[in-house]
Short mmCIF file of all heavy atoms in Angstrom, two decimals:
data_model
loop_
_atom_site.label_atom_id
_atom_site.label_comp_id
_atom_site.label_asym_id
_atom_site.label_seq_id
_atom_site.Cartn_x
_atom_site.Cartn_y
_atom_site.Cartn_z
N ILE Y 44 113.25 115.33 105.24
CA ILE Y 44 112.63 116.65 105.33
C ILE Y 44 112.51 117.34 103.96
O ILE Y 44 112.14 118.51 103.90
CB ILE Y 44 113.42 117.56 106.30
CG1 ILE Y 44 114.85 117.77 105.80
CG2 ILE Y 44 113.41 116.99 107.70
CD1 ILE Y 44 115.62 118.81 106.60
N GLN Y 45 112.80 116.62 102.88
CA GLN Y 45 112.72 117.23 101.56
C GLN Y 45 111.32 117.76 101.23
O GLN Y 45 111.19 118.84 100.63
CB GLN Y 45 113.17 116.24 100.50
CG GLN Y 45 113.28 116.82 99.10
CD GLN Y 45 114.29 117.94 99.04
OE1 GLN Y 45 115.39 117.84 99.60
NE2 GLN Y 45 113.95 119.03 98.35
N PRO Y 46 110.23 117.06 101.58
CA PRO Y 46 108.89 117.63 101.32
C PRO Y 46 108.66 118.98 101.99
O PRO Y 46 108.01 119.86 101.42
CB PRO Y 46 107.93 116.57 101.86
CG PRO Y 46 108.70 115.29 101.75
CD PRO Y 46 110.12 115.67 102.05
N TYR Y 47 109.21 119.17 103.21
CA TYR Y 47 109.09 120.47 103.86
C TYR Y 47 109.83 121.55 103.05
O TYR Y 47 109.32 122.66 102.86
CB TYR Y 47 109.66 120.42 105.27
CG TYR Y 47 108.93 119.50 106.21
CD1 TYR Y 47 109.43 118.25 106.52
CD2 TYR Y 47 107.72 119.88 106.79
CE1 TYR Y 47 108.76 117.39 107.39
CE2 TYR Y 47 107.05 119.05 107.67
CZ TYR Y 47 107.58 117.79 107.96
OH TYR Y 47 106.91 116.97 108.81
N ARG Y 48 111.01 121.22 102.56
CA ARG Y 48 111.77 122.17 101.76
C ARG Y 48 111.03 122.52 100.47
O ARG Y 48 111.00 123.68 100.05
CB ARG Y 48 113.15 121.58 101.43
CG ARG Y 48 114.04 121.35 102.64
CD ARG Y 48 115.33 120.66 102.21
NE ARG Y 48 116.23 120.46 103.33
CZ ARG Y 48 117.39 119.79 103.26
NH1 ARG Y 48 117.76 119.27 102.08
NH2 ARG Y 48 118.14 119.63 104.33
N ASP Y 49 110.43 121.51 99.86
CA ASP Y 49 109.68 121.76 98.62
C ASP Y 49 108.49 122.67 98.88
O ASP Y 49 108.19 123.57 98.07
CB ASP Y 49 109.20 120.43 98.02
CG ASP Y 49 110.35 119.56 97.56
OD1 ASP Y 49 111.45 120.11 97.32
OD2 ASP Y 49 110.15 118.33 97.45
N LEU Y 50 107.78 122.45 99.99
CA LEU Y 50 106.64 123.30 100.31
C LEU Y 50 107.07 124.74 100.57
O LEU Y 50 106.41 125.69 100.12
CB LEU Y 50 105.89 122.74 101.52
CG LEU Y 50 105.17 121.41 101.33
CD1 LEU Y 50 104.58 120.93 102.64
CD2 LEU Y 50 104.08 121.54 100.28
N VAL Y 51 108.14 124.92 101.31
CA VAL Y 51 108.64 126.28 101.57
C VAL Y 51 109.09 126.94 100.28
O VAL Y 51 108.81 128.13 100.04
CB VAL Y 51 109.79 126.23 102.61
CG1 VAL Y 51 110.43 127.61 102.75
CG2 VAL Y 51 109.28 125.75 103.95
N ARG Y 52 109.77 126.20 99.43
CA ARG Y 52 110.24 126.76 98.16
C ARG Y 52 109.07 127.18 97.28
O ARG Y 52 109.09 128.26 96.66
CB ARG Y 52 111.10 125.72 97.43
CG ARG Y 52 111.53 126.13 96.02
CD ARG Y 52 112.45 125.09 95.44
NE ARG Y 52 111.85 123.77 95.50
CZ ARG Y 52 111.01 123.30 94.58
NH1 ARG Y 52 110.66 124.05 93.55
NH2 ARG Y 52 110.52 122.09 94.68
N LEU Y 53 108.03 126.35 97.21
CA LEU Y 53 106.86 126.70 96.41
C LEU Y 53 106.11 127.89 97.00
O LEU Y 53 105.60 128.74 96.26
CB LEU Y 53 105.93 125.49 96.31
CG LEU Y 53 106.40 124.33 95.44
CD1 LEU Y 53 105.46 123.14 95.57
CD2 LEU Y 53 106.50 124.75 93.98
N ALA Y 54 106.03 127.95 98.33
CA ALA Y 54 105.31 129.05 98.97
C ALA Y 54 105.99 130.40 98.73
O ALA Y 54 105.32 131.45 98.74
CB ALA Y 54 105.18 128.79 100.47
N ARG Y 55 107.29 130.39 98.51
CA ARG Y 55 108.02 131.64 98.27
C ARG Y 55 107.92 132.11 96.82
O ARG Y 55 108.23 133.27 96.54
CB ARG Y 55 109.49 131.45 98.66
CG ARG Y 55 109.73 131.31 100.15
CD ARG Y 55 111.20 131.05 100.44
NE ARG Y 55 111.45 131.01 101.88
CZ ARG Y 55 112.65 130.71 102.41
NH1 ARG Y 55 113.68 130.44 101.61
NH2 ARG Y 55 112.80 130.67 103.72
N LYS Y 56 107.53 131.23 95.92
CA LYS Y 56 107.48 131.60 94.51
C LYS Y 56 106.19 132.35 94.18
O LYS Y 56 105.17 132.21 94.86
CB LYS Y 56 107.58 130.34 93.63
CG LYS Y 56 108.95 129.71 93.62
CD LYS Y 56 109.01 128.58 92.60
CE LYS Y 56 110.43 128.03 92.49
NZ LYS Y 56 110.52 126.96 91.49
N ASP Y 57 106.25 133.12 93.12
CA ASP Y 57 105.07 133.84 92.66
C ASP Y 57 104.12 132.88 91.96
O ASP Y 57 104.53 131.87 91.37
CB ASP Y 57 105.47 134.96 91.70
CG ASP Y 57 106.29 136.04 92.39
OD1 ASP Y 57 106.10 136.22 93.60
OD2 ASP Y 57 107.11 136.68 91.71
N VAL Y 58 102.85 133.21 92.00
CA VAL Y 58 101.83 132.39 91.34
C VAL Y 58 101.71 132.84 89.89
O VAL Y 58 101.53 134.03 89.60
CB VAL Y 58 100.48 132.53 92.06
CG1 VAL Y 58 99.39 131.79 91.29
CG2 VAL Y 58 100.58 132.02 93.48
N VAL Y 59 101.80 131.89 88.98
CA VAL Y 59 101.63 132.15 87.55
C VAL Y 59 100.29 131.55 87.13
O VAL Y 59 100.07 130.35 87.27
CB VAL Y 59 102.78 131.53 86.73
CG1 VAL Y 59 102.56 131.80 85.24
CG2 VAL Y 59 104.11 132.09 87.19
N LEU Y 60 99.40 132.40 86.62
CA LEU Y 60 98.07 131.98 86.24
C LEU Y 60 97.90 132.07 84.73
O LEU Y 60 98.39 133.01 84.09
CB LEU Y 60 97.00 132.85 86.93
CG LEU Y 60 96.90 132.72 88.45
CD1 LEU Y 60 95.94 133.77 88.99
CD2 LEU Y 60 96.44 131.33 88.85
#
Side-chain angles (χ1 to χ4, degrees):
I44 61 172
Q45 187 61 43
Y47 296 102
R48 296 176 178 175
D49 295 338
L50 292 175
V51 173
R52 174 175 53 85
L53 288 173
R55 290 177 176 175
K56 288 187 175 181
D57 295 331
V58 175
V59 179
L60 293 173

